[in-house]
Amino acid sequence: MKNSDLKNFMFGVSSSAFQIEGAAQTGGKGPSTVDTRFVRPGIADTSVASDFYHHWEADIELLRELGVKAYRFSISWTRIFPDGEGELNQEGLDFYTKIIDRLLEYKIEPVVTIYHFDLPQKLVDQYGGWLGRETIYAYEQYAKTLFEAFGDKVKYWISINEPLMVMFSKDFNGIRDHEGKAYERANYQIMYHMALAEKLAFKWCHELVSDGMIGPASAFQNIYPASAAPADVEAAMAAEEILSFTLLDLSVRGSIPARIAHTLKKQALYPETREEDVQLLQSESADWICFNYYASLCAEAYSGKDDSNMPQFFRSQQYRIVPNPVGAKSEWMIFGTDPTGLRLSIYKLWQRYNLPLMITENGYANSDTLEEDGHIHDETRIGYLKEHLDECFQAVEEGIPLLGYSPWSFLDSLSGREGFVKRYGLVYVDRTDEDLKDLKRYKKDSFYWYQKLISDCNKK
Ligand code: BG6
């Protein structure tokens, strides 16, 4: 690879507000769905998490020491608007101002996710969350407030993290009173309303942030046919189209792919729309596509076989998702790892959308051990990150505008469902699910490895 290819490559690291901040009821913050959801006994909740809220200065020092050029983090919607809309909480805005200013002082580019799973609970209570059109406008007010406050400092914006997960996860969307077909219908209504909200954010970003870039962070599912049988190939195409491209097409092209729209209508799952939506959906488009990639999957033709061991959003009557037999599996990486799949995902996204790309999540979950001497030897994570980064470098060398790579995660943080037993961080946070200990930070071997890699690339 030519040295100049990586000159502007954004080596980053990622996190999200509810997974690291803690202080869930501090500083005027209101409750969100991730605070009110049911947490299994023995698993940590959002109240302390990694306590970034009280450690932010020391944590940003760690970012500086790591040498990253970008830090992707999210803003907590209810720290800015405790009720999701209406009255602004200045203390919340001040908190993020300090963070952004410090990052810029250290020449670390803030990459800001506006909304990462933490929907204001008040919006759920009042409007049914994303089922109500009111939430579209609450999100608009929130996003516009951020562009007004930070538009002169933050260039890179992510509208919504993983809309796919928000559609399907009750923990995130807060919809508890719909089951079966009614819930399935709700999933697509949520998708549609989020797409409209996102377009309003695009509009304001384009108006208020000069040279700003905004787009979604897709939970991109790279799906191979389980065999060369045409029925399996068709199943894999359908799965990718439903799980990944439908949402991205809404963000970029402003419409649901024709075949998917046809199927949703046939199944009485097509969302309720209004005529005036078309104009909004098609007038604004994403400037870049961020995506999160952990593993790949396979699909086989639907045969009615039991798939209850799969997450609900993978179950369908058009295909059957199965683990990729090729990837190496481990305790938490149950679908196996597949670095090549990351590069193939880059190709697929580039071919379909021709937009700059950024990898905003990629990481290895492990139950890491803090040794007595304070070290954490996470060589499997190093191997995982190295193999995936090599695939990124190949794509850059081939001329694809991949702007950066920001692994998950900076600090050990609250996992989506598993609390602190499942760790992804480059920095170890000394706590368990049930014992807060001292929350001290320890740099894992992967921290030093990434630091050296960034520094070596800078010297080239
Ligand atoms: C992504 C999310 O889906 O995966 C992160 O954007 C999440 O918030 C990450 O933490 C890993 O998932 P989990 O459930 O293992 O924490």
Side-chain angles (χ1 to χ4, degrees), residues 16 18-19 72 116-117 161-162 165 219 292 294 361 365 408 413-418 422 424:
S16 95
F18 80 93
Q19 294 176 279
R72 180 229 175 184
H116 191 124
F117 297 161
N161 179 67
E162 301 193 344
M165 298 302 154
N292 304 340
Y294 290 86
E361 285 182 36
W408 188 264
S413 50
L414 202 60
S415 136
R417 246 158 258 105
E418 319 293 342
K422 183 180 185 186
Y424 289 89

Side-chain angles (χ1 to χ4, degrees), residues 88-136:
L88 176 107
N89 174 40
Q90 189 58 43
E91 204 176 332
L93 213 54
D94 293 346
F95 175 64
Y96 295 107
T97 308
K98 287 186 291 191
I99 290 170
I100 290 168
D101 287 348
R102 187 65 56 85
L103 291 172
L104 292 174
E105 188 188 328
Y106 291 170
K107 304 211 168 359
I108 300 171
E109 195 75 53
V111 177
V112 173
T113 311
I114 296 172
Y115 161 49
H116 191 124
F117 297 161
D118 45 2
L119 185 66
Q121 182 59 41
K122 209 52 182 282
L123 298 179
V124 177
D125 299 341
Q126 281 185 309
Y127 311 125
W130 285 113
L131 288 182
R133 284 181 84 95
E134 295 88 342
T135 297
I136 301 172

Side-chain angles (χ1 to χ4, degrees), residues 231-245:
D232 287 348
V233 175
E234 190 174 351
M237 283 175 76
E240 268 187 353
E241 201 168 26
I242 290 176
L243 295 169
S244 297
F245 293 128

Side-chain angles (χ1 to χ4, degrees), residues 244-277:
S244 297
F245 293 128
T246 299
L247 290 148
L248 283 167
D249 272 19
L250 277 164
S251 298
V252 180
R253 300 173 171 171
S255 58
I256 297 174
R259 285 180 58 230
I260 304 296
H262 174 75
T263 313
L264 291 178
K265 281 178 187 157
K266 236 173 50 191
Q267 297 175 338
L269 294 174
Y270 199 80
E272 269 175 41
T273 62
R274 291 187 189 168
E275 238 175 88
E276 66 264 26
D277 297 342

